[in-house]
Amino acid sequence: MFENLFSKGGLSLERLRGFMSMAEAGSISKAAPGDATRQSQISRQIRELEEFFQTELTKRRGKTLTLSPAGQRLKVLIHEQLQDLEDFRKEQEGRPKSYIIGAGASVLEWLVTPALPAISQLLGGAILRTEAHRSRSLAEAVQDGRVDLAVIRQNAVPAGKNHALVLKMRFLLCIPRRLLRPGTTEPEAKKPALWQTLPFAAGRDGGQTDTAVRAAMQDAGVDFQPRFECGSMLQVRQLVALGACAGVLPSLGARGLSAEETLILPFTPLKDYGRALVLHWNERQMRRRGQEVDVLKKVAAQLARSA
Amino acid sequence: MFENLFSKGGLSLERLRGFMSMAEAGSISKAAPGDATRQSQISRQIRELEEFFQTELTKRRGKTLTLSPAGQRLKVLIHEQLQDLEDFRKEQEGRPKSYIIGAGASVLEWLVTPALPAISQLLGGAILRTEAHRSRSLAEAVQDGRVDLAVIRQNAVPAGKNHALVLKMRFLLCIPRRLLRPGTTEPEAKKPALWQTLPFAAGRDGGQTDTAVRAAMQDAGVDFQPRFECGSMLQVRQLVALGACAGVLPSLGARGLSAEETLILPFTPLKDYGRALVLHWNERQMRRRGQEVDVLKKVAAQLARSA
DNA sequence: TTCAAACATGACTCTGAAGTCAGGTATCTT
DNA sequence: AAGATACCTGACTTCAGAGTCATGTTTGAA
């Protein structure tokens, strides 16, 4: 039974561990920063696995190594196997499993984090670890098992893959009242001509959300030159809350802003934005890890309620 | 990354191998027959895994051990993992994967074995290993991954599990011409009254097929007392081919019998038997091992053509 | 051209687990 | 009750691989 895996030495869990540390860090030197001893050990272990599997697991790219296609497949395979062993062990010890849940930084902060206790409960008391990444990166990480659940834009989910609706994104125009002339009415505030006169904060990295906001402003006839360009919507909101400038925020991000200090209106140019946030998962992985589709749909429903 | 699998010693591939050898053999002494040294090694390795996983993997039953529920789950898990490593390795070495295909002994002989070359081709040049077992045992083995494909009775397949029709079982009454009075016509041969006068071979082990044949004879008014009781339909066919007695054979088993020497008629009491043979597989396992459902349906179609 | 960084390799020591031997314990058969 | 079988455990030796140290090679930056 699988005698040829054992008949010849060369395969060991420690070697797989060494390989995985390089695979997940991205390079040997990142896997063992400043540790020449550990670096030489990992290098040797990778070579020994290449000999055992009769294939190259890495390829040299300049000074550093990257994974070959075979190395990429082995990484996914061994990640799964180690995950299953860890799950089995935790089950036997009566301890909860760990899951990784990812979202964009602002969605993580405003939507996911508040829901973590309820999500943990739905997942049998699971330990949840959050990771902030872009939607596309998260979609990829879900496909190859590095992230279990992701709250991402629906259009980042690969065609035909599992997801459940969390919410439709809505945008709100948030204007510190202090920036408006006394007596300005809501109808007046809804006019793009007025917006032209306000300082704005916006995103800077050209993500889909930021691009959509800028395009909408353009379409509304506003020469949109934000005063502040921020790394994330978290920072945009902070500046708005401070009264420093106006901003267009997702509805999630506007919660908690003082209505006394900030005028909050639907951002009508993006009324029909239509983008949705969904909970995305890899069905094969979640089934293997003991979570059925109906539970995951409940997780999505819980996130929707938190919105 | 999975540091707690490694932070404490105790988990090694050799130990898992020792555990699997006991799990698959059914006991330590069967895993290491007559080898007291190896037997003591396996015993120790199982203990060390139990310490690592903090659970009992075996329980004592009289003198011997059996697997605990946790041991059973670990067996399935590790079997899968070793299978995947072996598949990966073979892929990298450019060698074909191995699959196990099971059927009852006679189905194996008459249906599966002739189709093996074509099946291998459909499965990418796979190495095929056959195993003969009862339908129920095979269904169970498919569920926990020990057998990849099984040709079994449709009613042995668990509800809702994957299968594709191979054939409807038909039965043929096979009468050596030498046992008939000269001038006996086919209409005469179809009469149960005549059957009463013939010696028969039948199965002995009370399987579903055998039971159905005996019941049908009874219903036809025949006091069915077979002269020979055989371990399998293979032997029944041999006796018929020798001209020693009549028998009721599945249509598969009648092929190659000489029409000159053997009168072959549909066995009308079981005309509406309705039982089907199907190809049964575990979708999760076959997908993991790189074979999609449409390929497996082609395998079933190939077997149907061989019939 | 020189230097730094990333990785590779030779050579060595250390060690956890494999492997072995001997004998003990519990269960079952005779 | 005695003997055989299945498994367990103590104690020991062996060894494959881990771990370490030192230095080499290749690539890229300065």
Side-chain angles (χ1 to χ4, degrees):
Chain A
M1 179 275 307
F2 307 118
E3 278 317 300
N4 60 337
L5 287 175
F6 295 102
S7 61
K8 173 188 174 205
L11 187 64
S12 76
L13 288 172
E14 285 293 329
R15 283 177 174 151
L16 291 173
R17 178 190 188 192
F19 167 75
M20 290 301 290
S21 71
M22 175 265 163
E24 294 185 358
S27 70
I28 291 177
S29 58
K30 283 176 183 160
D35 186 343
T37 293
R38 183 71 188 137
Q39 170 270 306
S40 86
Q41 173 77 341
I42 292 176
S43 177
R44 200 186 308 276
Q45 287 179 321
I46 290 172
R47 290 305 149 242
E48 285 154 351
L49 283 176
E50 285 179 331
E51 193 177 324
F52 177 81
F53 284 114
Q54 291 292 294
T55 193
E56 289 198 338
L57 299 174
T58 60
K59 56 179 131 189
R60 179 71 68 127
R61 181 138 113 241
K63 287 194 295 188
T64 76
L65 299 180
T66 69
L67 292 181
S68 68
Q72 200 65 32
R73 285 199 291 280
L74 186 65
K75 176 190 177 187
V76 171
L77 176 60
I78 299 306
H79 182 278
E80 248 177 59
Q81 294 196 348
L82 296 178
Q83 180 77 79
D84 288 345
L85 285 168
E86 181 179 78
D87 284 352
F88 177 82
R89 190 181 189 197
K90 283 186 162 177
E91 254 174 67
Q92 297 317 308
E93 292 177 347
R95 295 203 275 115
K97 292 177 185 175
S98 298
Y99 296 93
I100 295 177
I101 181 166
S106 52
V107 172
L108 204 47
E109 172 98 0
W110 294 328
L111 179 66
V112 175
T113 300
L116 287 180
I119 296 174
S120 172
Q121 206 153 19
L122 286 167
L123 297 177
I127 295 166
L128 299 174
R129 173 169 136 206
T130 60
E131 281 191 13
H133 294 293
R134 307 292 294 275
S135 287
R136 296 277 180 214
S137 299
L138 285 169
E140 215 174 284
V142 165
Q143 285 325 302
D144 62 353
R146 289 177 279 119
V147 162
D148 296 296
L149 299 170
V151 183
I152 55 178
R153 281 181 289 102
Q154 177 155 12
N155 65 6
V157 175
K161 298 295 185 181
N162 281 272
H163 60 278
L165 182 68
V166 170
L167 57 79
K168 295 272 191 184
M169 290 178 76
R170 287 189 304 113
F171 289 93
L172 299 174
L173 174 63
C174 303
I175 308 172
R177 292 185 192 274
R178 66 185 288 276
L179 297 182
L180 297 169
R181 278 196 287 119
T184 305
T185 64
E186 274 196 26
E188 283 169 340
K190 283 179 170 174
K191 284 172 175 159
L194 182 106
W195 304 343
Q196 188 70 75
T197 68
L198 295 169
F200 271 86
R204 76 166 176 248
D205 50 10
Q208 282 205 9
T209 302
D210 183 53
T211 302
V213 168
R214 286 174 189 262
M217 282 293 193
Q218 202 84 335
D219 290 347
V222 176
D223 179 19
F224 191 62
Q225 305 278 357
R227 180 73 56 83
F228 305 96
E229 298 204 323
C230 304
S232 75
M233 289 295 171
L234 290 163
Q235 292 166 346
V236 173
R237 175 207 151 87
Q238 248 183 316
L239 288 166
V240 169
L242 281 172
C245 54
V248 180
L249 294 172
S251 50
L252 287 171
R255 269 193 299 174
L257 287 176
S258 161
E260 280 181 20
E261 295 182 17
T262 310
L263 182 62
I264 300 171
L265 305 168
F267 184 57
T268 49
L270 282 183
K271 203 173 93 185
D272 297 318
Y273 184 56
R275 298 296 164 81
L277 280 184
V278 298
L279 180 71
H280 172 46
W281 66 88
N282 179 330
E283 181 181 7
R284 184 168 165 276
Q285 163 137 323
M286 295 311 285
R287 180 169 292 166
R288 206 183 80 248
R289 299 199 62 198
Q291 300 292 354
E292 294 299 329
V293 170
D294 59 340
V295 165
L296 302 177
K297 285 179 171 171
K298 281 174 178 158
V299 170
Q302 178 59 50
L303 286 163
R305 280 198 291 280
S306 299
Chain B
M1 180 274 306
F2 306 115
E3 278 319 298
N4 60 337
L5 287 176
F6 296 101
S7 61
K8 171 188 177 206
L11 186 63
S12 75
L13 288 171
E14 286 292 328
R15 282 177 176 153
L16 291 171
R17 177 190 190 194
F19 167 74
M20 290 301 289
S21 70
M22 176 266 163
E24 294 186 357
S27 71
I28 291 177
S29 59
K30 284 174 182 162
D35 186 342
T37 291
R38 181 71 189 137
Q39 171 269 307
S40 86
Q41 171 76 341
I42 292 174
S43 177
R44 199 185 309 275
Q45 286 178 320
I46 291 172
R47 287 308 147 243
E48 287 155 349
L49 284 177
E50 286 178 331
E51 194 177 322
F52 177 80
F53 285 115
Q54 290 291 295
T55 191
E56 288 197 340
L57 299 174
T58 60
K59 56 177 129 188
R60 179 71 70 128
R61 181 140 116 239
K63 288 194 295 184
T64 76
L65 298 181
T66 67
L67 292 182
S68 68
Q72 201 64 33
R73 286 198 293 280
L74 185 65
K75 176 189 177 187
V76 171
L77 176 62
I78 298 306
H79 183 279
E80 246 177 63
Q81 294 196 348
L82 295 179
Q83 181 76 80
D84 288 345
L85 285 168
E86 180 177 79
D87 284 353
F88 177 81
R89 190 180 190 198
K90 284 186 161 176
E91 254 175 67
Q92 297 317 309
E93 291 177 348
R95 295 204 276 115
K97 292 177 184 174
S98 300
Y99 296 93
I100 295 176
I101 180 166
S106 52
V107 172
L108 204 49
E109 173 98 0
W110 295 328
L111 179 65
V112 174
T113 298
L116 287 179
I119 295 175
S120 172
Q121 204 152 19
L122 286 167
L123 298 177
I127 294 166
L128 299 174
R129 173 169 137 205
T130 60
E131 282 192 10
H133 294 292
R134 307 291 294 276
S135 286
R136 296 274 181 217
S137 298
L138 285 169
E140 213 174 284
V142 165
Q143 286 324 301
D144 61 355
R146 289 178 278 118
V147 162
D148 295 297
L149 299 170
V151 183
I152 54 178
R153 283 181 287 101
Q154 176 155 10
N155 64 7
V157 175
K161 298 296 185 181
N162 281 271
H163 59 278
L165 182 67
V166 172
L167 58 78
K168 294 275 192 181
M169 292 177 76
R170 286 189 303 113
F171 289 94
L172 299 173
L173 174 63
C174 302
I175 307 173
R177 292 185 192 273
R178 66 186 286 278
L179 297 182
L180 296 168
R181 276 193 293 120
T184 305
T185 64
E186 275 196 24
E188 282 168 339
K190 282 180 171 176
K191 285 173 174 159
L194 182 107
W195 303 344
Q196 189 68 76
T197 70
L198 295 169
F200 270 87
R204 79 167 176 245
D205 51 11
Q208 283 206 6
T209 302
D210 182 54
T211 302
V213 168
R214 288 174 187 261
M217 282 294 193
Q218 201 85 335
D219 289 345
V222 175
D223 180 18
F224 191 65
Q225 306 280 355
R227 182 70 56 81
F228 306 96
E229 297 202 325
C230 304
S232 78
M233 288 295 172
L234 289 162
Q235 293 165 346
V236 173
R237 174 203 153 91
Q238 250 183 317
L239 288 165
V240 170
L242 282 174
C245 54
V248 179
L249 294 172
S251 50
L252 288 171
R255 267 190 302 173
L257 287 175
S258 162
E260 279 183 19
E261 295 182 14
T262 310
L263 181 63
I264 300 171
L265 305 169
F267 184 58
T268 48
L270 282 182
K271 200 174 95 183
D272 298 319
Y273 184 57
R275 300 297 164 79
L277 281 184
V278 298
L279 180 71
H280 172 45
W281 65 89
N282 178 330
E283 181 180 6
R284 181 167 167 277
Q285 160 135 327
M286 296 311 285
R287 179 168 292 164
R288 205 184 81 248
R289 297 198 64 197
Q291 302 291 352
E292 294 298 329
V293 170
D294 60 340
V295 166
L296 302 177
K297 286 180 171 171
K298 281 172 178 158
V299 170
Q302 179 59 50
L303 286 163
R305 280 200 289 280
S306 298

